[in-house]
Amino acid sequence: MNTRKKLIAPSILSADFSRLRDEISAVDQGNCDLIHVDVMDGHFVPNLTIGPPVIRWIRKATKLPLDVHLMIEEPIRSLKEFREAGSDWITIHVEACRDVRKTIAEVRALGAKSGISLRPKTDLSLVEPYLSLVDLVLIMTVEPGFGGQVFIPEMLAKVRTLRPRFDGLISVDGGINLETGRQAAQEGADVFVAGSAIFRERDRKAYISQLRQAIS
Ligand code: DX5
Ligand code: ZN
């Protein structure tokens, strides 16, 4: 049985960036476990977000671990900057690295928890060779690039297949709400990234506690 603690990671992509400190405080005080930060480069995904300078400010706004999701080509070029800015967990995409093994080794050498992620269309077999090297597998449950999309139910099978083969944390990211969170939890997911579902609520604390109940 999976007895690991379930972790809730609000994605600040859906927060009001003009009030970022308050937005982070609201979910921090709402007893979430991590802050999920989506980094996009306009190449790997058709959207552009933030980089190390903003992460440095986020780092000052909370003591919670920063779960940094790099949707960027060849992240190996900038891992050091992301780590120095305060990233605790660093997740790279298997599709975005020429040398995945070397990239993961670099994340570990920098002292961060290492994660690997895959797009919905990418077969699980592509991350299989790296399972013994990472702490976390982040299963994209929407096409990476934007918040507020609808959960792809077929991704539940990926969680189900991966669970018995992987001892680390399985994260689900995209379209997570009370219902899809509950379904992913039943398949054995550990980390629940939720952006729009949390930040569209006025009472983030109440929603986080409902989500915790749904996934427990
Ligand atoms: C999408 C990002 C997600 C996104 C989730 O590329 O990786 O973390 O913010 O947002 P919601 O929960 O709104 O689908
Ligand atoms: Zn993400």
Side-chain angles (χ1 to χ4, degrees), residues 11 13 36-40 67 69 71 138 140 173-174 193:
S11 161
L13 189 60
H36 184 86
V37 181
D38 289 303
V39 176
M40 306 184 188
D67 168 27
H69 179 190
M71 284 161 275
L138 184 155
M140 284 304 308
D173 182 6
V193 177

Side-chain angles (χ1 to χ4, degrees), residues 91-132:
T91 296
I92 54 98
H93 265 264
V94 67
E95 308 91 347
C97 309
R98 232 171 328 167
D99 191 334
V100 177
R101 204 171 282 273
K102 197 169 160 196
T103 310
I104 294 169
E106 177 71 11
V107 171
R108 299 191 77 104
L110 290 165
K113 254 190 201 289
S114 69
I116 190 163
S117 181
L118 70 170
R119 295 176 184 274
K121 289 192 188 78
T122 303
D123 202 85
L124 207 46
S125 62
L126 262 87
V127 302
E128 200 107 41
Y130 312 108
L131 292 180
S132 62

Side-chain angles (χ1 to χ4, degrees), residues 5 35 41 55 68 76 83 104 113 137 140 145 149 155 159 171 183 187 194 200 203 206:
K5 183 180 191 287
I35 300 293
D41 67 352
I55 294 181
V68 175
I76 197 158
R83 177 64 178 148
I104 294 169
K113 254 190 201 289
V137 176
M140 284 304 308
Q149 303 179 76
M155 295 303 110
V159 181
S171 179
Q183 292 167 358
E187 302 297 351
R200 74 165 160 242
D203 189 343

